[in-house]
Amino acid sequence: MLAHVPSRTDHRPPAFAMIVAGGAMVGAAVRDLRIANQLAERGYPVHVYWAMECTPVIPLHPRIKEHWLFCASRYNGILKNLFRSKYSIVEDIVWSRICRLAPVKFKMRLCQRGVFGINVAAWAMNGVIRHICRGVESDRGQLKRFARSLDRERITHVMPCLSLFGPFVQGAKPYLRDPIRYLVTYQGYEIYANYAKQIGCLEQFYQRIRETAEQSDYPAVAVSEDYKSRVNEDLGLALDRITIVPACIDLPESRDVEQSRKVLQQSFPDYDPALPLISFLGRQDSEKGIDLLLYAAKMLHQRGYRFQVAIAGATACGTKYRDACRTIAENLRIPVITADYLSSELRASLYQASHCVVYPSIHREPFGMVPIEAMAMGTPVVVPDTGGVAELPYLNGLQAGLNFKSWDSGDLAQQLARMLDDRAMHVAFRADAIAIAEHYSTPRVCDQLLQLLDVSPAVEVEAPSRIKSMVAASL
């Protein structure tokens, strides 16, 4: 049951602003840019405000207008000492021009590998978190510019993709000419809470992002049932102030599996299409549990199973864990196909060509976009039995994957063996995978958001009804 939503306070047509994190927080950005595209497709005015960095990881609808909220260095003091003001608009202008000109792939690598020994992602997040904890009101110039932009664009609803941007919206409200409403989304807060803990302000940070949600106009969004409980436990936000709206995917067009295999062969010379491919896609950071997959793979190799392993994805916390996993694979004598940032074409091909996709997170994964994307390509998944990700392979009697006991590489090996041995089960999972993924389609999730916001759809868009010919063609 949704909490009470306030009635409309003016007669302006709905216009949406999405605050999107650039840089390493790719999963959150993809979710919100998909929603932004869907809203624009339905005819609503949509504006994207980039925070810290500008990383358009998916193409934006031509109707979407882009703005700059603040740059990654604004609260870290690179240029502001050159100016008498505490925070410099010149810094935002210079940084925004650089970010818009730099290729996305270059920016992603910069976030992953750092520069001159500096962890860029941690450096940017630490500055923003310190600023939030001391009070965003200290930077009145930025809040006033944000408010003027919202007024100029006639924005009615603001949706920060990360809860840490909520204080900036609340801070801008006193400077607004016209009222706005905002909706806080909790996704991945535990990741940037780690930065807050490292700099000694975790409780203060939790207080800030909880207060913003309590002052918002709608129940805060959590992306799964388990994540709703986690937000309540960690932050103390009341359960009746939290509702569930899952993450979403754009359903792919039908693809030929042989063509996907050819794409992989062109990009990865070691890929052998004759062997089953077990893949991990996602951030290569410590909480993802990639080493569990490597240990499980070694166990299966010792039992005589023949297959390949692929590990691909960016990082948000530097490359130490990624490099450690590659060293583990070398020590275990496991040949692994490795990649960092993937193009959309290569990512889709890897999903399509995989026998199954494993997502072995060691923390209470809030949702897990990767398993849904895999299922959308008709590929079964193996996920842990804790967190929001545990719910994903099941829907209304359908099943598209298996759970393994969390943190247990032996049980993960057992479930992978079932995937490799039981062809009938594998075929059944492939047949159900697309139907489950359709439940998380962008149009369906967008409908849920509009219902929560009490906004009538501008254009009726139904989730596509798709037959399972793609699955049959790929078996």
Side-chain angles (χ1 to χ4, degrees):
M1 178 69 68
L2 297 179
H4 174 69
V5 175
S7 60
R8 295 179 177 87
T9 58
D10 60 50
H11 299 288
R12 290 177 296 160
F16 299 96
M18 317 283 288
I19 303 178
V20 180
M25 306 299 287
V26 175
V30 168
R31 170 201 182 267
D32 284 80
L33 294 179
R34 284 170 175 163
I35 291 172
N37 282 342
Q38 179 65 202
L39 290 170
E41 184 68 26
R42 297 184 182 205
Y44 294 109
V46 180
H47 301 258
V48 168
Y49 286 80
W50 291 104
M52 298 189 291
E53 212 260 87
C54 172
T55 316
V57 288
I58 63 173
L60 296 183
H61 193 284
R63 293 198 192 105
I64 293 177
K65 188 174 180 181
E66 297 178 76
H67 309 264
W68 198 262
L69 187 62
F70 61 84
C71 69
S73 65
R74 182 171 183 83
Y75 303 114
N76 288 284
I78 285 183
L79 296 179
K80 68 184 180 185
N81 292 330
L82 299 176
F83 304 91
R84 295 189 179 277
S85 60
K86 188 174 182 181
Y87 306 110
S88 170
I89 189 174
V90 175
E91 187 166 359
D92 278 329
I93 294 172
V94 171
W95 189 273
S96 67
R97 296 297 186 271
I98 294 173
C99 285
R100 290 186 184 280
L101 291 173
V104 171
K105 189 172 183 178
F106 168 78
K107 290 186 286 187
M108 292 302 299
R109 287 186 175 179
L110 185 65
C111 287
Q112 294 172 37
R113 300 177 182 176
V115 59
F116 303 125
I118 298 173
N119 183 328
V120 175
W123 168 79
M125 291 297 295
N126 287 344
V128 174
I129 288 169
R130 286 193 184 94
H131 178 63
I132 291 170
C133 290
R134 66 176 169 250
V136 298
E137 299 79 9
S138 63
D139 190 5
R140 287 184 295 175
Q142 186 268 333
L143 296 176
K144 288 180 178 179
R145 287 195 301 277
F146 184 33
R148 286 197 298 270
S149 178
L150 294 176
D151 279 333
R152 183 172 59 251
E153 303 297 348
R154 303 283 290 165
I155 301 298
T156 59
H157 298 80
V158 182
M159 290 182 278
C161 78
L162 300 178
S163 55
L164 67 86
F165 299 137
F168 293 90
V169 184
Q170 185 67 27
K173 290 184 78 171
Y175 305 108
L176 287 167
R177 182 180 65 249
D178 297 317
I180 56 100
R181 306 190 192 105
Y182 70 92
L183 171 68
V184 173
T185 296
Y186 287 102
Q187 52 176 339
Y189 77 86
E190 68 283 357
I191 304 301
Y192 43 89
N194 288 337
Y195 295 113
K197 185 176 182 180
Q198 290 169 8
I199 60 177
C201 59
L202 179 61
E203 292 305 318
Q204 192 176 12
F205 180 67
Y206 275 171
Q207 179 181 349
R208 291 284 188 271
I209 62 175
R210 181 183 67 248
E211 289 173 348
T212 306
E214 290 171 342
Q215 296 166 3
S216 67
D217 302 278
Y218 306 95
V221 165
V223 291
S224 67
E225 286 283 356
D226 184 79
Y227 207 48
K228 176 178 178 178
S229 299
R230 185 171 180 173
V231 171
N232 169 255
E233 294 165 9
D234 287 352
L235 275 66
L237 186 62
L239 288 174
D240 63 0
R241 289 294 301 166
I242 313 170
T243 190
I244 298 168
V245 179
C248 58
I249 64 165
D250 293 333
L251 295 173
E253 297 296 326
S254 178
R255 299 171 60 90
D256 177 67
V257 68
E258 292 302 323
Q259 180 59 35
S260 292
R261 289 169 178 162
K262 289 179 181 178
V263 170
L264 293 187
Q265 283 181 293
Q266 293 170 357
S267 301
F268 305 113
D270 294 334
Y271 169 65
D272 183 354
L275 293 176
L277 181 62
I278 295 175
S279 300
F280 167 87
L281 293 89
R283 286 190 297 104
Q284 296 190 56
D285 292 320
S286 57
E287 72 275 7
K288 297 304 181 183
I290 300 170
D291 53 313
L292 293 177
L293 171 58
L294 296 174
Y295 303 139
K298 183 62 175 181
M299 294 176 193
L300 292 178
H301 281 168
Q302 289 182 325
R303 298 177 199 173
Y305 286 90
R306 296 185 69 246
F307 58 91
Q308 288 184 297
V309 175
I311 297 174
T315 73
C317 304
T319 62
K320 289 184 178 179
Y321 179 71
R322 184 204 67 185
D323 296 341
C325 285
R326 292 180 179 180
T327 302
I328 290 171
E330 292 172 1
N331 288 326
L332 293 175
R333 302 296 189 267
I334 300 173
V336 178
I337 298 169
T338 61
D340 297 331
Y341 176 77
L342 295 177
S343 67
S344 297
E345 172 70 13
L346 192 53
R347 186 180 180 88
S349 296
L350 188 54
Y351 279 131
Q352 176 82 66
S354 295
H355 186 79
C356 66
V357 167
V358 183
Y359 206 64
S361 295
I362 63 172
H363 71 143
R364 288 172 67 179
E365 187 73 41
F367 181 77
M369 198 90 74
V370 166
I372 298 298
E373 291 176 343
M375 288 189 287
M377 301 300 295
T379 301
V381 297
V382 180
V383 297
D385 61 359
T386 56
V389 71
E391 310 163 13
L392 298 182
Y394 311 94
L395 180 69
N396 300 330
L398 302 176
Q399 183 174 351
L402 299 170
N403 294 114
F404 72 95
K405 296 176 183 177
S406 293
W407 320 297
D408 190 335
S409 54
D411 192 59
L412 174 55
Q414 186 63 32
Q415 304 312 316
L416 291 175
R418 292 178 62 193
M419 279 286 190
L420 293 167
D421 288 336
D422 194 335
R423 178 164 175 77
M425 181 188 72
H426 189 265
V427 170
F429 286 172
R430 290 184 73 91
D432 285 350
I434 295 175
I436 293 176
E438 285 180 344
H439 178 74
Y440 300 98
S441 70
T442 302
R444 287 179 182 269
V445 172
C446 192
D447 286 342
Q448 294 181 54
L449 273 176
L450 291 174
Q451 180 183 6
L452 175 60
L453 297 172
D454 193 28
V455 173
S456 301
V459 179
E460 292 293 336
V461 179
E462 297 182 358
S465 177
R466 306 174 63 210
I467 62 174
K468 299 177 181 177
S469 59
M470 185 181 87
V471 176
S474 62
L475 295 177

